[in-house]
Amino acid sequence: MAWRRPPQRGPICRRSSEPILKPTPEEVRLIYRGHLIHIAGTPTLHEAAGALVSEPDGALAVDPEGRVSYAGPWRDLPPNMAHDEVVETAGCLLPGFVDTHLHYPQTFTTDAFGGGELLEWLERCVFPAEARLADTDYADAIAAQFVRRRIAAGTTAAMVFGSAFPAAQDALFGKTLDAGLRIISGRGIQTVGPASAAPLLTDDDTAIGLTRDEIARWHGREADGFARDARDALAQVAVVPRFSLSVTTDTLGRLGDLYAEVREAGVYFHSHLNENDRPGDGEIAAVRDVYGVEAYLDTYDGLFLPGSRRGGESLLGRRSVLAHSVHSRERELHRLAETKSSIAHCPTSQLFLGSGTMPWRRTVASGVNIAIGTDVGAGDEWLIPRVLNDAFKVHMSEEGLLAQAIHPAQLLFLGTLAGARALDQERLFGNFDVGKDADFVIVDAAAQPGFDTALAFAAEQSPEAHLFTLLMGMREAAVAAVHVRGRRVVAD
Ligand SMILES: [Zn+2]
């Protein structure tokens, strides 16, 4: 991977004028000086507040391989780094944001009016929009825009629900690697659906064949070839049935066999779970009706035959991420926790589709790992802090004693380290622990009208108050620079 330094001059970064004392290219480190904020170590959600690091005059040292070699107070910078190159930043240094659920083919479909809830919106807005990606020129354009939006939002890693069309997936992976972002994605698998979904459907043989092919071509890819260990690569692949209503027992059986084969190679599983509970004809009612199962999660757990009898292999595990889980039963939450599967919590999307609110206290109490997803395009925000903002509001508004004011450190945890954990890549990124890849965002409050003043006021109160205002108040205008493995990420 080529090492590229940040631009010498820019709106927010400038090199110090201090002379550089004879570092060889192999030894050069870049030290970013700014307000350093992250959740250190490997805490649980409950331990996040105690793990919060907020260092107003902080330093983040990035070695030539793009890894963190020091993160802490500027005054404690090790003497052997005293002559490294310094990048003075005008703002905050945060770990890159991790979006654990968003839909690439819906890049242009945010704020689409479906006149109903989930199933109506899918049929009237989403399936027709996603069918357009059969046109490769259009797919190229949407992939380019998708990458630009991610960079603008500082989303360094993402679990991306893919297109049905292989050429569109090639455009997505290719442009993402060209830019230097991390991605996990897989083509959206649908073998049954309403008339408007017809262009997205295949038979089971084709679905399995295309998924195998995508794994072979993209799992473990870097910009310049395959990584030695696919689990370390910028690009990795997931098996992605849209949801249980888009496939059949035959499809789920075949996907279970496939997943059992590729699980050890680090391939992911990603889908939706318990999103819409409209009585009678909503998503959850339909899943129970079609499959005759006791609980929705059973369909992904190999228990997809009537009465939740076993029909195949489970798709759950530490590389399995289920979006929503708004209406999960107790035993479903415990099964998710037991299998080390994660929930992508998407409150912005849930507000848009009237899906309800994931019960915060009950879900946290189950021990399942909860991360954050924008769920673009039902979600109409690309910036993870905007979704954290909605998360704070919806859980603050839960009824009676269920209401919870989520601690600012827990909000940051959800948007960074918990996301890395959900993607089973916590050893690589998610915070500034020494040895991890330097995935980070520079936030320049001065670029957003009035925001620097609000932050300065909050900083007078406490580090937690400052972090809360930062996460609740920031908009994309404040995302000044985005780095993955120490390298500045740029759109074409
Ligand atoms: Zn979704």
Side-chain angles (χ1 to χ4, degrees):
M1 173 62 60
W3 165 253
R4 194 190 304 166
R5 293 187 197 162
Q8 296 247 344
R9 296 189 186 285
I12 52 88
C13 298
R14 64 181 188 278
R15 294 282 172 81
S16 79
S17 56
E18 291 175 20
I20 307 303
L21 298 182
K22 56 179 182 182
T24 67
E26 296 75 35
E27 293 166 346
V28 168
R29 257 182 303 250
L30 287 175
I31 300 180
Y32 294 82
R33 187 174 186 178
H35 190 152
L36 186 87
I37 304 173
H38 71 126
I39 305 296
T42 56
T44 63
L45 178 78
H46 293 294
E47 296 163 342
L52 173 63
V53 173
S54 178
E55 183 55 52
D57 187 12
L60 177 69
V62 181
D63 74 15
E65 273 72 51
R67 297 201 183 92
V68 176
S69 53
Y70 173 80
W74 176 263
R75 63 181 179 277
D76 294 340
L77 197 67
N80 67 333
M81 297 183 186
H83 301 298
D84 289 327
E85 293 183 49
V86 176
V87 182
E88 299 279 355
T89 77
C92 299
L93 304 166
L94 291 176
F97 300 120
V98 182
D99 188 341
T100 57
H101 181 64
L102 77 168
H103 294 256
Y104 145 62
Q106 295 171 27
T107 297
F108 299 143
T109 318
T110 52
D111 298 316
F113 181 66
E117 297 179 4
L118 171 67
L119 298 183
E120 294 78 28
W121 173 79
L122 283 173
E123 190 170 348
R124 295 169 191 162
C125 303
V126 168
F127 295 149
E130 294 201 358
R132 294 187 61 190
L133 275 78
D135 175 341
T136 50
D137 289 340
Y138 181 78
D140 263 7
I142 205 167
Q145 181 67 8
F146 182 80
V147 169
R148 277 186 220 114
R149 295 305 301 263
R150 280 192 58 192
I151 296 171
T155 300
T156 52
M159 174 68 89
V160 180
F161 222 96
S163 166
F165 305 106
Q169 285 298 95
D170 289 347
L172 172 69
F173 280 117
K175 290 184 191 305
T176 303
L177 286 175
D178 287 347
L181 292 167
R182 298 181 193 275
I183 183 167
I184 301 160
S185 186
R187 69 173 293 275
I189 297 168
Q190 293 184 244
T191 55
V192 288
S196 69
L200 308 174
L201 306 186
T202 68
D203 59 25
D204 286 334
D205 285 342
T206 307
I208 298 296
L210 291 177
T211 303
R212 271 190 196 286
D213 186 54
E214 186 171 32
I215 293 168
R217 287 188 300 117
W218 292 108
H219 187 62
R221 277 287 283 269
E222 299 283 352
D224 54 1
F226 282 92
R228 209 176 319 157
D229 184 344
R231 294 160 187 264
D232 294 340
L234 288 187
Q236 300 186 44
V237 173
V239 173
V240 185
R242 180 184 291 279
F243 63 160
S244 298
L245 295 177
S246 291
V247 290
T248 66
T249 53
D250 286 345
T251 318
L252 286 170
R254 299 277 300 271
L255 290 178
D257 291 342
L258 172 63
Y259 197 59
E261 261 181 60
V262 297
R263 182 191 281 270
E264 282 306 304
V267 172
Y268 291 80
F269 171 70
H270 187 43
S271 196
H272 295 97
L273 174 71
N274 286 324
E275 180 176 359
N276 179 284
D277 75 339
R278 186 170 63 196
D281 64 349
E283 174 210 23
I284 297 169
V287 168
R288 291 204 191 117
D289 185 45
V290 168
Y291 285 91
V293 291
E294 292 157 12
Y296 193 152
L297 184 67
D298 292 344
T299 59
Y300 301 135
D301 202 10
L303 307 172
F304 49 74
L305 296 180
S308 292
R309 282 183 296 114
R310 181 160 297 285
E313 302 282 345
S314 176
L315 294 160
L316 305 181
R318 63 185 312 122
R319 291 202 154 201
S320 302
V321 179
L322 280 307
H324 298 296
S325 186
V326 176
H327 308 284
S328 288
R329 297 172 175 187
E330 213 65 37
R331 82 163 170 86
E332 292 176 287
L333 291 176
H334 283 101
R335 181 61 181 154
L336 287 171
E338 179 182 57
T339 56
K340 305 249 184 292
S341 306
S342 292
I343 293 171
H345 180 30
C346 310
T348 306
S349 160
Q350 287 146 20
L351 286 167
F352 178 72
L353 289 175
S355 304
T357 301
M358 186 188 84
W360 179 253
R361 289 176 187 268
R362 192 160 69 80
T363 309
V364 168
S366 74
V368 63
N369 182 51
I370 304 166
I372 284 287
T374 58
D375 197 15
V376 162
D380 60 352
E381 298 283 0
W382 290 78
L383 184 70
I384 285 294
R386 295 294 299 139
V387 183
L388 295 171
N389 177 304
D390 281 340
F392 182 84
K393 290 171 183 169
V394 296
H395 298 303
M396 192 62 163
S397 303
E398 285 195 65
E399 215 172 309
L401 295 173
L402 297 176
Q404 172 84 49
I406 301 176
H407 191 282
Q410 293 188 347
L411 292 174
L412 179 61
F413 174 82
L414 288 169
T416 58
L417 193 60
R421 192 170 296 170
L423 303 184
D424 194 30
Q425 296 193 41
E426 192 175 357
R427 72 193 185 290
L428 297 177
F429 58 86
N431 62 16
F432 296 141
D433 286 357
V434 169
K436 285 196 183 185
D437 291 342
D439 288 16
F440 64 100
V441 175
I442 300 175
V443 179
D444 179 16
Q448 185 178 314
F451 193 39
D452 49 351
T453 312
L455 272 183
F457 176 73
E460 290 174 14
Q461 319 301 311
S462 68
E464 290 79 7
H466 171 265
L467 176 59
F468 186 70
T469 301
L470 178 68
L471 292 177
M472 294 293 283
M474 77 174 279
R475 303 293 186 270
E476 288 179 13
V479 176
V482 182
H483 296 75
V484 173
R485 292 176 173 166
R487 175 180 173 272
R488 178 88 180 260
V489 177
V490 288
D492 61 4

